[in-house]
């Protein structure tokens, strides 16, 4: 069996899982915004109390757990193969993995340190916990930067391989 045929089932499974996650995410977020989103909050009718907030929170929590499980599995797999160079068709996978992991940690640290700790008004109450303000800011900016990097990488690869026709 050729190397190309060995990777097809894994690629097919990854594609199906990715598509299932996209569809499930679209359904959950669509339901969140379309079903009872404008329901007034009982204590103050000026605020919304969306009906499916708990569903959305549980969904995000389950995605986080799945991501952490995949991270753990990947780390165990990498630890077992630590003596190997992990190259595929001349691509240094191990080096790329370490650079991505290190770059992510550095990005999180920098965005945390540069994050604002200015108090904000949340539902009429001032929120001034410095650690959580900086943590929220870190995740927002890190996510935005990583999305821009992902789009740039896709565009670069598309132009490089001339699939842009």
């Amino acid at each position: 069996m050729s190397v190309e045929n060995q990777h097809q089932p894994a690629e097919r499974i990854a594609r199906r899982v990715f598509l299932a996650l996209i569809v499930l995410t679209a359904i959950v977020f669509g339901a969140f915004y379309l079903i009872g989103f404008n329901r007034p909050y009982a204590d103050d009718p000026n605020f919304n109390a969306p009906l499916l907030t708990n569903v959305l929170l549980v969904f995000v929590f389950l995605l986080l757990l799945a991501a952490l499980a995949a991270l753990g599995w990947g780390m165990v797999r990498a630890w077992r193969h630590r003596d190997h160079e992990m190259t595929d068709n001349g691509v240094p996978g191990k080096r790329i993995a370490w650079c991505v992991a290190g770059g992510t940690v550095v990005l999180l640290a920098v965005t945390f340190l540069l994050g604002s700790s200015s108090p904000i008004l949340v539902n009429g109450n001032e929120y001034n916990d410095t650690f959580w303000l900086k943590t929220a800011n870190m995740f927002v900016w890190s996510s935005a930067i990583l999305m821009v990097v992902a789009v740039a990488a896709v565009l670069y690869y598309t132009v490089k391989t001339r699939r842009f026709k």
Side-chain angles (χ1 to χ4, degrees):
M1 186 183 286
S2 71
V3 173
E4 183 178 313
N5 290 338
Q6 289 175 346
H7 293 294
Q8 281 185 346
E11 290 173 8
R12 191 175 303 131
I13 291 170
R15 188 178 313 118
R16 287 182 180 164
V17 168
F18 181 63
L19 290 174
L21 282 174
I22 289 172
V23 169
L24 191 57
T25 301
I27 289 170
V28 169
F29 276 93
F32 175 75
Y33 285 111
L34 297 174
I35 301 172
F37 181 75
N38 293 323
R39 194 177 73 158
Y41 182 55
D43 291 342
D44 187 351
N46 293 325
F47 297 110
N48 285 348
L51 182 64
L52 299 178
T53 301
N54 288 338
V55 172
L56 183 65
L57 290 173
V58 167
F59 177 70
V60 170
F61 182 70
L62 290 175
L63 283 179
L64 177 65
L65 286 179
L68 290 174
L71 172 69
W73 177 72
M75 289 176 66
V76 166
R77 187 169 176 260
W79 182 258
R80 287 183 182 165
H81 295 92
R82 67 185 181 275
D83 296 333
H84 305 291
E85 180 57 32
M86 287 182 60
T87 58
D88 190 16
N89 293 331
V91 177
K94 188 174 184 179
R95 189 177 321 149
I96 291 171
W98 280 108
C99 288
V100 168
T104 303
V105 169
V106 168
L107 177 66
L108 290 171
V110 167
T111 54
F112 180 83
L113 292 173
L114 296 177
S116 173
S117 60
S118 301
I120 59 173
L121 203 59
V122 178
N123 292 338
N125 297 322
E126 186 176 89
Y127 190 76
N128 57 8
D129 187 325
T130 302
F131 174 77
W132 288 113
L133 287 167
K134 287 178 94 50
T135 301
N137 205 339
M138 170 189 73
F139 283 121
V140 168
W141 279 104
S142 295
S143 298
I145 290 168
L146 289 173
M147 283 189 269
V148 168
V149 168
V151 168
V154 168
L155 290 175
Y156 172 76
Y157 178 75
T158 302
V159 170
K160 181 181 173 189
T161 58
R162 295 191 178 118
R163 293 185 183 187
F164 203 78
K165 295 177 184 177

